Amino acid sequence: MTSSIDYSIVVLLLVFVAALVLTVWLLRLESRRNPLHERLGPTRNDTTVQSVAAIAHDHHASLHPVLREIARHGLSLAGTAQDRSNSERLLAQAGWRRPEAVGLLMAAKYSCGLLLCCVAFFLLLSPQSRTGLTGIATGLIALFVGTTLPELMVKIRAARRHEALARSMPDALDLMVICAEAGLPFPRILKTVSRELGLSAPIMADELAYTSAELQLLPDRAAALRHLADRTRVPTVESMVGSLIQAERYGTPLAQALRTIAEESRSRLILELEEKAGKLPAQLSLPLMTLILPPVVAIVATPALMRVIRSLMQ
């Protein structure tokens, strides 16, 4: 009986390690640099046909057939259409634009939940308590934690990406103003700025390169700009998209509209930094009270306390 339990524990550990390695490999595969950026960024002589073909085949270029099958089965677990839309929006904010991303996320969530539930059920509980109320509660808690972890990782990545886009937006707008004043058309502006920001702001460069390809693929420029705002959810980007759509509708010069947006974004960034600096004293009060005040009180009160102890001992 003991040997069979030990064998099952070893098998569960091996399955858990294999699933963990598969999850890390999937995350590394999806976080690689977008091949669309590599095709649009380094060269200056890319034609329109090549860019359109690149974005048309970008989603199906390097995904393994096994992963596609897993994504197809995971998509059936995504819930309603509204739930799928919310998951697609979250994954787009995290930088994963593949159609199979929702299915892979659902498969990772339920796989991690079941694996953590099995590990908690067979490793943390005794055979007598597995069929009782303790076993049911432990299994449900482990299932909840396991299904929450992948989505939490995606949300953390989306938050980091959001902050990086917000910080790099003023620099991108300044470069757009320079390109617009030089007389470049708007799709060429996006392509040039994405190439210049490839080292300093790769996330912003990736979004601009993708939008540049969408401008060549979609018949409506406003739709491509709205897709940029939906993917990023950054207030500065949304303001830029709205201003550009209005400038195109009413015939406002592109350089003037971009210069106004750049000034507003720079002012907004400065205000946000000032707001964070103003919150620092209140945020430092708790560490000050918990880490600095007790040692100071101990140092001040120790001599008096020693004298009291000596007097009591005498």
Side-chain angles (χ1 to χ4, degrees):
M1 182 67 180
T2 306
S3 61
S4 61
I5 294 176
D6 295 338
Y7 180 74
S8 63
I9 290 174
V10 172
V11 171
L12 286 175
L13 285 176
L14 291 176
V15 172
F16 179 74
V17 171
L20 184 62
V21 171
L22 179 61
T23 304
V24 173
W25 180 72
L26 288 177
L27 290 176
R28 288 180 62 85
L29 180 64
E30 290 294 333
S31 62
R32 287 178 181 175
R33 191 175 182 182
N34 194 353
L36 175 64
H37 172 75
E38 297 177 358
R39 285 190 290 268
L40 291 181
T43 59
R44 295 178 177 268
N45 298 322
D46 292 335
T47 60
T48 303
V49 177
Q50 291 174 345
S51 300
V52 172
I55 190 174
H57 296 284
D58 181 62
H59 296 306
H60 304 281
S62 60
L63 193 63
H64 197 272
V66 176
L67 296 180
R68 292 183 185 178
E69 190 68 21
I70 294 175
R72 186 177 65 84
H73 289 288
L75 190 61
S76 60
L77 303 174
T80 62
Q82 184 65 29
D83 296 335
R84 294 182 183 180
S85 178
N86 294 334
S87 300
E88 290 176 357
R89 187 179 298 111
L90 178 62
L91 289 168
Q93 293 176 9
W96 294 319
R97 313 184 190 95
R98 288 181 176 273
E100 301 89 355
V102 178
L104 291 175
L105 177 62
M106 292 297 110
K109 287 178 62 175
Y110 287 101
S111 299
C112 291
L114 291 176
L115 284 174
L116 191 60
C117 181
C118 293
V119 169
F121 195 73
F122 287 101
L123 295 183
L124 300 180
L125 298 177
S126 61
Q128 294 78 14
S129 60
R130 291 174 185 172
T131 57
L133 185 61
T134 304
I136 297 176
T138 304
L140 290 177
I141 293 174
L143 182 64
F144 174 76
V145 173
T147 53
T148 306
L149 283 178
E151 187 174 358
L152 181 61
M153 294 173 62
V154 174
K155 289 182 179 180
I156 293 174
R157 177 184 170 89
R160 292 178 179 176
R161 190 179 177 90
H162 182 277
E163 184 178 359
L165 288 172
R167 286 183 175 274
S168 59
M169 193 61 198
D171 297 332
L173 286 172
D174 291 339
L175 292 175
M176 288 182 187
V177 171
I178 296 173
C179 294
E181 291 177 348
L184 295 179
F186 186 68
R188 187 63 183 175
I189 290 175
L190 294 182
K191 190 179 298 184
T192 304
V193 173
S194 67
R195 182 173 61 249
E196 297 297 331
L197 292 177
L199 295 177
S200 60
I203 297 177
M204 177 61 71
D206 177 69
E207 291 292 341
L208 294 180
Y210 195 87
T211 306
S212 175
E214 278 192 336
L215 288 174
Q216 298 172 5
L217 184 65
L218 299 178
D220 188 11
R221 177 182 294 184
L225 294 175
R226 291 192 187 97
H227 290 170
L228 175 63
D230 292 337
R231 287 195 309 268
T232 57
R233 295 288 177 174
V234 178
T236 310
V237 178
E238 294 176 350
S239 176
M240 181 195 72
V241 168
S243 301
L244 289 177
I245 292 175
Q246 291 181 0
E248 183 181 6
R249 181 180 302 173
Y250 298 110
T252 307
L254 183 60
Q256 179 180 353
L258 289 174
R259 187 182 297 108
T260 304
I261 302 169
E263 294 176 356
E264 292 178 355
S265 65
R266 187 73 66 181
S267 301
R268 180 178 298 179
L269 181 61
I270 293 174
L271 289 176
E272 290 178 356
L273 293 177
E274 291 178 351
E275 182 181 359
K276 290 181 180 179
K279 292 179 179 179
L280 282 178
Q283 295 175 353
L284 290 175
S285 60
L286 183 60
L288 180 66
M289 294 177 60
T290 56
L291 300 178
I292 299 178
L293 188 59
V296 172
V297 172
I299 292 173
V300 172
T302 298
L305 184 61
M306 294 296 294
R307 285 194 293 268
V308 171
I309 293 175
R310 288 175 182 175
S311 62
L312 291 177
M313 291 177 64
Q314 292 176 356

